Amino acid sequence: MKNKIFFLLAMLSCLIVGCKDEDIRYSIERPDDTMHLQVSNEYVELNQKFGKEEAVTFSWNEVTNAPLDSKVTYYFKLDIADNDFGTSIDKMRIPAGEHSVSFTHKKMNALLTKWKIEPGERVTLEAEIIAEIEETDCYVKPELSTVRFDAVGYEIQPYDIYVMGTALEGATDPANALKMTEEISEEVYTWYGVMKEGDYKFILNTTGQSPSYTQGSDGSVVFNEHETGNETPFTINKAGFYVLKLNIEAGTLNADYPTTDYNDVWMVGEATPAGWNIMSSTKLTKDPVNQVAFYYEGLLKTGDMKFPLELKEDWNVAWLMPIENGTHEFGDNRMEHIEAGIQGHDYKWNITKEGNYRVTLNMYTMTIDFKLLQSIPDDLPCKEIWMLGDATPAGWEQGKEAFVYDFNVDKGTFYWEGELKAGSFKCPINVDGSWAITCYMPKQAGEDGKASLNMTDVQLVQPNGNDYQWKVEESEAGQYRVELNVLTNKIKFEKKN
């Protein structure tokens, strides 16, 4: 009988402490709080300037009511107050032997953003430390301790990083350093462009060389608050186009040297020397330094253009085209590859200003750059001239036979090259489909209003004035170069055959 009484007492004691049965576990009272979780500040005002510094620290005492020989594991949670930790951060397991956890200004601000707390808005947060007691004969309910505090976040401002050094053309001093693109705020930055043999580093402003990021002894990225002269820069040993990706959080730098599968690129269109004759298209030159670029340097006239990737009489080829039709030379610089045989769009670039250009196509970024090297001077009487008349290939159709400005001869000289047939012509400076046009004409003409090609003096005649024209005789027909100087009012006819 005595043994049975002792057995019943033992069973009752286990029920008081708890047991493994899920139905009984939650009826057990929570152990008293012996950890007394504390927060370093009851009010935390976050500041982007101190992003990597600790903004708040939580600390607690070791559990004192755990059974002997048990194992205690601590977990930390953080959420908006009165939310029953429904949107808490993932439960953090605290390493053995530690009794505190800290958050930086940047991390805390990111959490406020995640919880959709507006910058500058004061919010009450609640932290919880959980002590899970394990390796006991009977289940012991976890001990909890909570604390509340207020926090105010900030609106993230751009955190600028620049790259400078001898490996970058014109960026050897901070004032000319090149700004990187902030891909992930205060973490990942990128820059791409042509680099030459030399060294480089990353700085945080354009007024000095510190603070900076340079190369660590193991090739990692290290932060230097002040310049000591012992920093090790990064180096480029082979000139070319590079893509830099800097991660200041992970302390890593990737300097990629991309390549391209494009072998040949041409250009065609009325803006180009070849016009719309695809088999005579102008071939671009592979850049000797930038391994992913092609370029053309020379004259572009006003009009449309695009880039074939091979030459075929039937025009069934792949193309490089703008992403919007009619994009002008200083518009959207993106381009796209259109495969041959695809019933897609036929977009073209439209050159609005005649001049000498350097056109660069980057096949890695799929961008195009039009750099105007020389343009028609602004102090000329006109910037556009056409040939018009039945002696020209287009006859009396306006706007088809344009002169080109010649940058290599006397100022004010325009030229036209083509076939002159028997007939007459004049040179309008405006074409709009109407016949109220202003034209360069012979200064003198016969009673029929016609002048021979020996008349080299010209005059600019307004609408409703004399309608003088040059006359090409049957014996004079052929291929010509016609030069007209709008400053000296002289015209020159040079027959090629």
Side-chain angles (χ1 to χ4, degrees):
M1 183 67 180
K2 186 182 273 188
N3 289 336
K4 290 182 179 180
I5 292 173
F6 285 138
F7 177 76
L8 288 172
L9 288 174
M11 290 290 292
L12 287 171
S13 65
C14 276
L15 288 173
I16 292 171
V17 175
C19 71
K20 303 289 184 177
D21 193 305
E22 295 289 338
D23 295 331
I24 301 174
R25 178 180 304 176
Y26 297 106
S27 65
I28 302 169
E29 290 186 5
R30 180 78 62 188
D32 291 337
D33 177 11
T34 62
M35 295 183 291
H36 304 298
L37 179 61
Q38 294 183 328
V39 62
S40 57
N41 294 290
E42 294 182 354
Y43 172 70
V44 179
E45 186 172 354
L46 304 172
N47 191 320
Q48 184 176 358
K49 181 180 179 181
F50 308 125
K52 293 185 178 181
E53 298 181 16
E54 291 182 359
V56 61
T57 299
F58 303 92
S59 58
W60 58 92
N61 300 324
E62 191 169 350
V63 168
T64 60
N65 57 9
L68 293 175
D69 298 326
S70 62
K71 177 184 177 183
V72 180
T73 304
Y74 296 97
Y75 295 91
F76 181 84
K77 298 174 77 173
L78 181 65
D79 198 358
I80 301 171
D82 301 318
N83 198 31
D84 197 26
F85 295 97
T87 57
S88 169
I89 64 172
D90 292 337
K91 190 165 68 170
M92 295 174 54
R93 183 188 179 104
I94 306 301
E98 295 185 11
H99 295 87
S100 68
V101 63
S102 299
F103 292 84
T104 64
H105 286 258
K106 180 180 178 180
K107 180 62 177 178
M108 281 300 305
N109 196 71
L111 290 174
L112 295 184
T113 302
K114 171 190 171 185
W115 291 324
K116 295 181 170 42
I117 306 301
E118 293 293 328
E121 178 184 350
R122 184 164 178 159
V123 63
T124 300
L125 304 178
E126 185 173 18
E128 180 180 61
I129 190 71
I130 305 166
E132 292 193 358
I133 302 170
E134 302 171 310
E135 298 183 6
T136 61
D137 292 335
C138 296
Y139 175 77
V140 178
K141 201 167 188 178
E143 182 176 323
L144 306 180
S145 185
T146 61
V147 68
R148 294 188 175 203
F149 67 105
D150 287 357
V152 175
Y154 55 82
E155 183 175 359
I156 297 175
Q157 302 298 320
Y159 183 81
D160 294 336
I161 294 183
Y162 305 83
V163 57
M164 62 161 290
T166 60
L168 297 150
E169 189 69 38
T172 56
D173 62 86
N176 297 316
L178 303 172
K179 187 176 179 180
M180 303 185 75
T181 299
E182 189 175 21
E183 303 288 355
I184 300 177
S185 178
E186 301 179 84
E187 184 174 341
V188 177
Y189 295 79
T190 60
W191 178 88
Y192 55 78
V194 174
M195 304 184 78
K196 56 185 180 179
E197 293 183 12
D199 55 46
Y200 64 101
K201 65 178 182 178
F202 305 96
I203 58 177
L204 302 188
N205 58 69
T206 57
T207 59
Q209 296 197 31
S210 61
S212 67
Y213 291 94
T214 55
Q215 185 172 195
S217 58
D218 58 355
S220 63
V221 176
V222 296
F223 177 74
N224 312 289
E225 182 68 40
H226 303 288
E227 187 177 10
T228 65
N230 297 320
E231 296 85 5
T232 302
F234 299 95
T235 58
I236 293 293
N237 297 317
K238 180 182 179 181
F241 180 89
Y242 284 84
V243 180
L244 305 182
K245 184 177 183 180
L246 173 69
N247 188 320
I248 60 175
E249 284 288 316
T252 58
L253 171 67
N254 293 326
D256 294 331
Y257 182 86
T259 58
T260 178
D261 293 330
Y262 290 90
N263 296 314
D264 299 294
V265 183
W266 291 265
M267 63 181 191
V268 68
E270 60 198 8
T272 73
W276 285 111
N277 185 346
I278 189 170
M279 300 309 294
S280 299
S281 295
T282 303
K283 189 173 184 179
L284 277 67
T285 303
K286 187 75 179 289
D287 195 300
V289 177
N290 185 341
Q291 74 279 7
V292 294
F294 293 83
Y295 75 93
Y296 162 79
E297 193 166 301
L299 178 69
L300 288 180
K301 298 176 282 187
T302 57
D304 292 341
M305 63 180 294
K306 55 183 179 177
F307 298 89
L309 298 176
E310 56 181 319
L311 305 182
K312 290 183 179 180
E313 294 276 5
D314 62 4
W315 293 69
N316 186 24
V317 299
W319 298 88
L320 294 175
M321 297 181 182
I323 63 170
E324 290 188 13
N325 194 34
T327 299
H328 65 77
E329 65 270 30
F330 303 118
D332 194 322
N333 70 340
R334 293 174 295 168
M335 62 183 184
E336 59 182 339
H337 179 116
I338 304 298
E339 288 289 353
I342 294 179
Q343 296 299 316
H345 61 69
D346 186 23
Y347 293 170
K348 306 173 186 71
W349 282 273
N350 181 259
I351 306 303
T352 61
K353 188 170 187 176
E354 182 176 308
N356 275 341
Y357 286 81
R358 183 181 175 95
V359 183
T360 303
L361 278 63
N362 188 305
M363 316 312 291
Y364 175 82
T365 61
M366 289 302 285
T367 56
I368 186 169
D369 177 66
F370 291 90
K371 184 177 181 181
L372 182 61
L373 304 177
Q374 291 175 297
S375 61
I376 300 175
D378 291 328
D379 57 353
L380 299 183
C382 64
K383 292 188 177 183
E384 294 180 305
I385 310 174
W386 287 266
M387 295 280 280
L388 182 64
D390 56 12
T392 72
W396 291 102
E397 186 176 357
Q398 295 184 18
K400 294 296 184 180
E401 300 293 333
F403 277 77
V404 176
Y405 187 79
D406 194 335
F407 293 94
N408 301 313
V409 297
D410 294 340
K411 180 180 177 181
T413 300
F414 293 79
Y415 73 91
W416 174 88
E417 292 182 330
E419 181 184 7
L420 288 179
K421 301 175 291 186
S424 62
F425 69 92
K426 54 187 175 180
C427 302
I429 65 171
N430 63 304
V431 289
D432 57 8
S434 73
W435 292 98
I437 52 178
T438 300
C439 296
Y440 279 103
M441 300 178 181
K443 190 171 184 180
Q444 296 178 351
E447 292 183 0
D448 60 355
K450 303 295 191 291
S452 72
L453 299 186
N454 293 322
M455 173 51 66
T456 57
D457 292 327
V458 303
Q459 59 178 329
L460 190 60
V461 180
Q462 301 298 322
N464 301 318
N466 292 326
D467 188 20
Y468 291 170
Q469 299 169 25
W470 284 276
K471 183 178 181 180
V472 180
E473 302 290 349
E474 188 73 40
S475 60
E476 295 175 313
Q479 294 292 325
Y480 279 83
R481 177 184 172 93
V482 180
E483 293 184 1
L484 197 162
N485 190 298
V486 299
L487 293 179
T488 61
N489 287 328
K490 292 285 187 179
I491 193 168
K492 176 183 176 182
F493 300 96
E494 179 184 342
K495 191 174 183 181
K496 295 185 174 182
N497 58 7

